[in-house]
Amino acid sequence: MDVSPETALVRYSEAYQQLYNRKPKDLRTLENGWVIVNGARMRATELEYLTAQLQIEYRQGLEQRRSIVHRLLKFFKQQ
C-alpha cells in the first residue's frame, strides 16, 4: 500500500506528539515519495513503519501505567 508523503508525515507527527508530548522537528516532503524526518531522508513507506513503532510504544506505556495503577489499587484494598 503506497501512502502519500503528506499523509505519512501527518500520521507520524500525530504519533510522535502523542508519545513525546511535543511536535517533531524538521518534517518535510521531497519529490518521488521521499520525506525528511529529523534530518534523515527516507521513503514515506519507511516513515509509516516508524509511525507504527511509535504507536506500539505509546500503547505499551499505557499498559504499563494501567498495570501500576491496578497493582496500587489492589494493594490499598488489602490495607
Side-chain angles (χ1 to χ4, degrees), residues 18 56-68:
Q18 191 176 36
I56 289 169
E57 274 188 59
Y58 179 74
R59 284 192 299 270
Q60 287 174 341
L62 282 178
E63 282 300 316
Q64 285 177 336
R65 282 182 261 160
R66 283 187 192 128
S67 175
I68 290 169

Side-chain angles (χ1 to χ4, degrees), residues 35-53:
V35 295
I36 299 281
V37 178
N38 297 328
R41 183 179 176 207
M42 65 184 73
R43 290 240 174 240
T45 53
E46 294 170 317
L47 185 58
E48 280 289 300
Y49 175 77
L50 289 177
T51 301
Q53 294 302 309

Side-chain angles (χ1 to χ4, degrees), residues 15-56:
Y16 186 95
Q17 196 164 0
Q18 191 176 36
L19 182 61
Y20 297 115
N21 294 322
R22 66 177 188 263
K23 292 184 179 184
K25 297 179 182 176
D26 195 22
L27 294 178
R28 295 180 275 154
T29 59
L30 300 174
E31 65 281 341
N32 299 323
W34 290 90
V35 295
I36 299 281
V37 178
N38 297 328
R41 183 179 176 207
M42 65 184 73
R43 290 240 174 240
T45 53
E46 294 170 317
L47 185 58
E48 280 289 300
Y49 175 77
L50 289 177
T51 301
Q53 294 302 309
L54 289 178
Q55 291 168 338
I56 289 169

